[in-house]
Amino acid sequence: MKPTHPDYEVVIGLEVHCQLRVRTKLFTPAPVTYGAEPNTATLPVCLGLPGALPVLNGPAVELAVRAGLATHCTIQPRSIFARKNYFYPDLPKGYQISQFEEPLATGGYVDVPMEGEEEPLRVRLTRIHMEEDAGKSVHEAGLSETHVDLNRAGVPLIEIVSEPDIRSPEAATAYLRTLREIVRYIDASDADMEKGHFRCDVNVSLRPHGSSELGTRTELKNLNSFRFVEAAIRLEIDRQAKVLSEGGTIEQVTLGYDADRGRTFLMRGKEDSDDYRYFPDPDLVPLVLSEERIAEIRAALPELPEQKRARFTEEYGLPGDACAILTEKRGLADFFERAAAAAGDDAKPAAQTTANWMLRDVLAVLREDDVEVQDGHLEPEGLGALIRMVEEGRVTARSARSLLPELIREGGDPERLVQERGLESVSDEGALEALVAQAIEANPKAVASYAEGDKKSLNFLMGQVMKASQGKADPGAVRKLLAAKLES
Ligand code: ADP
Ligand code: MG
């Protein structure tokens, strides 16, 4: 693979904060909300009121364990919640509860499919730990004061920390996409980046090609779109390369990214973990998970995207890029398999035909409308039935295709629609023969040039027959009949 920078190897490690899909906060029954009136989703624990005691949210733990298992981590039988002390207006307790020395999950990996590469990129995970989110400082345009909204304070997060195994901006976003796909598959998170459910800190350093020592890193904080991640990394690579090539040294700092101006800016010098004075939270007992409990959670995991991709290749013989698209979202993958089952009795060819219809026709409409397949009106069995009609020659591919946008947007029974619209293809020998005879009689020139060896005239005549049938003639049957007539 071509190096990202001619003079330096780029080294990237990511810390991803992912909001767990639970109804209540990590240590109180206060609801997890989005867009609610400020400070209406809080209880004494979120406000840091003296004497309020935290109680751990069980379902949140289960989702965090799922995420650990789905990324091949070891789930620790015992983990510890610690206080990370710092002052911030949106952190009324004066500390955030996180896991530090003994995290929930350690040592996993994510295999990231890379465009144009045979082998996926394996990104090792250092750890996954649980923590609570902080509140939000709201700086309203035109107001000189800053407001604090504590609705987000205490919302359950996992932080997924990667080893510095990533070597390019594209690989960073490919990793993030894969990770997002995994947490969505296992229902651990909605991972909606616009809502801040999935955001990341990017650590970047450079080193000479061939060096095995890590260079000094900088950290780009809180990026919440794939586009920003790539753009910010590119800027940081250029900045560091310039400093190093001029003989300077990189300072370990924390940077922000200003998307409007398309540049990074210094937020603060880098703090060390010592600065946070971590210590075990005396209000919380260690989180202990029995082997049986972990096994139960593992048994309940759905098929993961990488497993599904492997199975689609194996079972249906689908090419890699088709598998990648069809398995990207669990809803789409399930839809595809149900449609394929209805499209034909022979699983492999039915799946291949269905994959073509999905990739070429169905996704085009979904993308145009920006909807997910499960939110459209098309039933997988309906698509399967339509494909079956095409395969059986009862309707032409062209007619079937013309019905798809309507079926997706408004729904309906394909069988009935085909009948109502009179789209049943003409495959009746007698009717086809009449059409063929008509075309031959009306186009003596084309017939003559075919006889003189211009085989392309057959296509012209085909076109005439199809036109006369209003696109309903079975093209295979027409070609056969025409060729036979012209040869005789
Ligand atoms: P902190 O919370 O102080 O940022 P962590 O250990 O939680 O520290 O996270 C460090 C992240 O930075 C990890 O994702 C790791 O892979 C990455 N990282 C560490 N050293 C480097 C480096 N020299 N270059 C790039 N990334 C690095
Ligand atoms: Mg960090």
Side-chain angles (χ1 to χ4, degrees), residues 11-15 84 126-127 129 159-165 201-206 214-219 221 252 270-273 276 278:
V11 176
I12 300 169
L14 300 184
E15 297 159 86
K84 180 181 184 181
T126 316
R127 57 193 276 153
H129 65 250
E159 179 172 341
I160 305 163
V161 182
S162 87
E163 292 289 312
D165 286 348
D201 304 340
V202 182
N203 298 272
V204 184
S205 68
L206 301 184
L214 287 173
T216 303
R217 67 171 154 135
T218 58
E219 181 176 38
K221 224 36 193 173
Q252 188 175 333
K270 174 67 194 172
E271 62 289 324
D272 270 323
S273 61
Y276 290 118
Y278 279 98

Side-chain angles (χ1 to χ4, degrees), residues 179-346:
L179 196 60
R180 187 177 64 165
E181 180 182 280
I182 293 171
V183 295
R184 284 182 170 167
Y185 253 71
I186 59 172
D187 287 327
S189 175
D190 293 330
D192 187 336
M193 296 180 89
E194 275 168 31
K195 293 185 181 164
H197 293 165
F198 192 85
R199 48 191 205 259
C200 79
D201 304 340
V202 182
N203 298 272
V204 184
S205 68
L206 301 184
R207 63 184 175 191
H209 286 292
S211 160
S212 57
E213 247 169 84
L214 287 173
T216 303
R217 67 171 154 135
T218 58
E219 181 176 38
L220 293 152
K221 224 36 193 173
N222 254 331
L223 299 165
N224 61 356
S225 96
F226 293 136
R227 206 155 45 85
F228 297 168
V229 167
E230 280 204 27
I233 295 176
R234 288 222 164 80
L235 288 172
E236 188 48 17
I237 292 172
D238 289 346
R239 190 190 70 83
Q240 289 188 17
K242 185 157 182 283
V243 172
L244 291 174
S245 66
E246 286 167 357
T249 50
I250 301 299
E251 274 183 71
Q252 188 175 333
V253 292
T254 298
L255 302 166
Y257 174 66
D258 180 342
D260 293 335
R261 295 203 174 81
R263 61 186 192 213
T264 58
F265 59 92
L266 181 68
M267 286 171 80
R268 54 177 184 260
K270 174 67 194 172
E271 62 289 324
D272 270 323
S273 61
D274 283 359
D275 299 331
Y276 290 118
R277 296 290 184 271
Y278 279 98
F279 66 90
D281 191 313
D283 289 340
L284 288 159
V285 293
L287 169 55
V288 174
L289 291 162
S290 67
E291 245 173 71
E292 295 76 54
R293 184 76 192 107
I294 297 169
E296 257 172 47
I297 298 173
R298 188 193 294 279
L301 277 181
E303 186 180 36
L304 296 169
E306 52 181 311
Q307 296 164 334
K308 227 186 249 300
R309 274 193 285 279
R311 184 168 62 78
F312 280 14
T313 310
E314 168 85 24
E315 221 171 283
Y316 306 133
L318 293 175
D321 43 352
C323 291
I325 298 172
L326 290 172
T327 57
E328 193 183 309
K329 291 177 183 148
R330 200 165 132 198
L332 189 69
D334 291 345
F335 184 98
F336 158 70
E337 286 202 278
R338 280 171 60 189
D345 302 323
D346 203 349

Side-chain angles (χ1 to χ4, degrees), residues 3 34 36 55 59 63 74 118 120 137 155 159 191 205 208 237 265 317 331 366 373 390 399 422-423 487:
Y34 181 80
V55 178
L63 293 186
T74 304
E118 281 281 318
S137 295
V155 164
E159 179 172 341
S205 68
I237 292 172
F265 59 92
L366 295 174
V373 73
V390 175
S399 301
L423 292 175
E487 296 295 340

